[in-house]
Amino acid sequence: MNLASRLLIVAAGLSGALGVGLSAAAAHITGGNLTTAAQFLLFHAPGLLALSALIAAGAVHPTLAQIAGYALILGLALFCGDLSRRAFAGAALFPRAAPMGGILLMLGWVLVAVSALLRLRV
């Protein structure tokens, strides 16, 4: 297994762990931002694991799929980081961080799809 696949697995594990932690915090702290951040982390953790498995199985274009994974990770960091900071500190991570993260998440998933299509041609 290459380093990029291992990094995706590490990110999936961290995403899952943070999602569980934020879900617990959201149960004790009012605010929809924290719940949304937790859900996004929990939803993307298995997606990152699956992407790593698809790369290892040769089912997707490996380079493009790795880029997709990194886009998902950065998108999660920006989107969930901004929502979490708003919940805990009452201030944004930086202006437009959450929308930028959301766009990166969408781009990441589109790249996953394209990586599967390109793999058919290789």
Side-chain angles (χ1 to χ4, degrees), residues 12-118:
L14 291 174
S15 179
L18 288 169
V20 171
L22 288 178
S23 293
H28 300 284
I29 299 172
T30 60
N33 282 347
L34 206 53
T35 301
T36 301
Q39 289 172 343
F40 266 70
L41 288 164
L42 288 171
F43 296 155
H44 283 83
L48 290 168
L49 287 173
L51 185 57
S52 180
L54 290 169
I55 292 168
V60 293
H61 189 280
T63 304
L64 189 56
Q66 289 171 3
I67 293 168
Y70 298 143
L72 290 170
I73 293 165
L74 182 56
L76 284 172
L78 290 174
F79 185 79
C80 297
D82 187 63
L83 294 181
S84 296
R85 185 150 195 267
R86 287 173 189 271
F88 288 119
L93 193 58
F94 59 84
R96 312 285 301 152
M100 286 173 47
I103 289 168
L104 278 170
L105 288 169
M106 290 185 281
L107 175 65
W109 285 115
V110 168
L111 290 175
V112 169
V114 172
S115 74
L117 294 174
L118 289 180

